[in-house]
Amino acid sequence: MKAIARIAAAAAVLAIMAPQGRAAVVYVRPPADCPVAGDGSAHDCASESGGPGALNDLDAAQDAVGPGDVLMLDGTWMLTDYVVFRASGAAGARLRVTSYTLSSPAHFVGSFDACLFYFLGDHLEIDHLVFDSAYDNGVLLGENSETAAHLDHRFHDNALLSMSNGISLRAIEDVEVYDNVFMDIGSTTDNQGHCLYVAQGTRNARLYRNLCTAKSDVFASHCFHVYHGEPPGPARDVELHDNVCSGFTTGAGVYSGSTGILIYSNTFIATGDYGGLRCTYGGSQAGFFNNIVVGSPAYMGGINFGEGCDVALNNNVYFQPEGTMRFDIDDTSVDTAAWLSRFDSASLFEDPLLVDPEARDFHLDPASPAIDAGDGAHASDADFYGQPRTSGGSIDIGAVEHQVSLPEPDESEPMDEAEPTETAEEIAEAADAPPEGEQEAAEPAPDETLDSQADPDRHEDAGCSCRVPGA
């Protein structure tokens, strides 16, 4: 019951967005809620088969939607097998898959050796859903294909809970994963689980403003993992920015000959093996800028030039509250001075003064040395909380931009009040709160814009991203 309350509370702060254009809306509810299958035209259950009312089968729902449509999901689905979603939208008319209500989003629960959902179509927007897998993997965007590349996925404002792999990208182009909450991620027995997994065939991907927290007893898991070079080839042109990663044994691992990997403005709360960037196992061409790495891992970072790593690191903050800070170059433990001879010449090695990361408050204290210390060449428009970058003289280091106080407005010219918005911070804070009350159904508006010394080998061949069984 506590887990259900936690899920409902986390989801209650997710804002339903209006889809683009005029759209058909198809409703689908679990057969446990609606034993009689309707025609999908209404949220209420049908009184006779094929009559007005909700569909009760996910396969039938896919057959009923197309470009520009909205698939409204509701209820708790206790899955006994994985779901393969093959329906597609079209360029300029994404097919949207979302929840009917804000306070009680569609919730998919399963415990089997596969992903819960495989989204294999093109031009999809997937938002405001809860995926809960006590056993294995959450969601795959793309496909296990040596030649095909799926296009144009937007995956946002979802909650993925209690699983080994959170989300995997494979053979997909033009994909964005943002404003999601990943909680209790990673394997407790081997190295087969990661939060954000980018595999072969991924092109032009952005992953930003996500919160990733690892299981407390995680064995060996990355927050960000780029791996696999099999056909159609290694990942390329991937950006990871403005995310918060907490409790993983490796912050960001880049491998398998991947290229154009840019990791900037993230906050890594480290434990275990490699706190920040690790490059080995086939190497990578990557950049690591404006990141905060805090904790007491065996190594704050590790680069293996013998594996073909071509990496640049700078304008980061590293802080280890206990022990002596160490790094790994070519499988050799080195001190900070040796690391600085190769990397991070403009980086800082002191406490970034995060306000209260244990309480999921990742703001910078006003006295933080990370403020105005970043490289403006690597900056997004908004930070982890959706606040504007930059605020002040220059960009701050880490996932959160310290907001410079503005002068008090002239009371003689009152300003309009801004509408309140929910942020990733509120999503995280709500995770342990009791569920909130019911909110209005999300109807589309027809004309609106819709720990110890690291063992390098225990991460080798780490974590196959979830595959369609039999593929």
Side-chain angles (χ1 to χ4, degrees), residues 43-58:
H43 177 262
D44 292 341
C45 296
S47 58
E48 60 181 24
S49 180
L55 293 166
N56 65 0
D57 179 79
L58 292 170

Side-chain angles (χ1 to χ4, degrees), residues 13-247:
V13 298
L14 301 177
I16 296 295
M17 306 292 290
Q20 293 184 352
R22 187 175 299 278
V25 180
V26 176
Y27 302 88
V28 58
R29 298 172 65 180
D33 295 348
C34 291
V36 178
D39 60 3
S41 64
H43 177 262
D44 292 341
C45 296
S47 58
E48 60 181 24
S49 180
L55 293 166
N56 65 0
D57 179 79
L58 292 170
D59 289 333
Q62 294 186 58
D63 295 336
V65 292
D69 292 345
V70 181
L71 183 60
M72 287 283 189
L73 300 168
D74 199 9
T76 298
W77 297 74
M78 305 304 296
L79 302 178
T80 59
D81 203 354
Y82 57 89
V83 176
V84 177
F85 191 91
R86 296 187 181 276
S88 291
R94 293 189 188 107
L95 167 60
R96 186 179 178 212
V97 184
T98 188
S99 283
Y100 175 71
T101 60
L102 178 66
S103 61
S104 183
H107 178 198
F108 298 93
V109 183
S111 183
F112 39 80
D113 189 13
C115 280
L116 290 179
F117 259 79
Y118 298 84
F119 288 100
L120 308 185
D122 296 322
H123 306 290
L124 297 177
E125 180 177 6
I126 304 143
D127 63 277
H128 299 91
L129 303 174
V130 177
F131 303 92
D132 192 350
S133 173
Y135 180 76
D136 198 24
N137 300 298
V139 170
L140 171 72
L141 305 182
E143 191 161 4
N144 305 320
S145 171
E146 294 186 359
T147 57
H150 290 281
L151 301 171
D152 183 26
H153 284 201
R154 299 297 182 266
F155 186 90
H156 63 92
D157 294 286
N158 301 291
L160 291 87
L161 312 172
S162 302
M163 54 190 64
S164 293
N165 280 309
I167 189 166
S168 300
L169 312 181
R170 182 192 292 261
I172 186 168
E173 297 183 10
D174 183 20
V175 55
E176 295 188 9
V177 177
Y178 59 97
D179 292 337
N180 302 289
V181 176
F182 299 82
M183 302 179 71
D184 297 328
I185 305 299
S187 173
T188 60
T189 59
D190 56 30
N191 59 0
Q192 300 295 306
H194 315 288
C195 187
L196 306 171
Y197 198 135
V198 177
Q200 67 265 35
T202 301
R203 308 284 188 264
N204 300 318
R206 291 180 63 212
L207 302 94
Y208 56 100
R209 297 198 306 261
N210 300 288
L211 172 65
C212 288
T213 63
K215 294 174 182 173
S216 60
D217 56 346
V218 67
F219 176 75
S221 293
H222 294 62
C223 182
F224 180 52
H225 191 250
V226 184
Y227 199 80
H228 290 292
E230 300 92 332
R236 68 169 186 259
D237 301 326
V238 178
E239 293 188 17
L240 179 87
H241 62 87
D242 299 288
N243 303 282
V244 171
C245 297
S246 180

Side-chain angles (χ1 to χ4, degrees), residues 246 269 294 354-362:
S246 180
I269 313 298
V294 175
L354 301 176
V355 169
D356 192 352
E358 291 187 2
R360 299 195 184 115
D361 185 346
F362 306 105

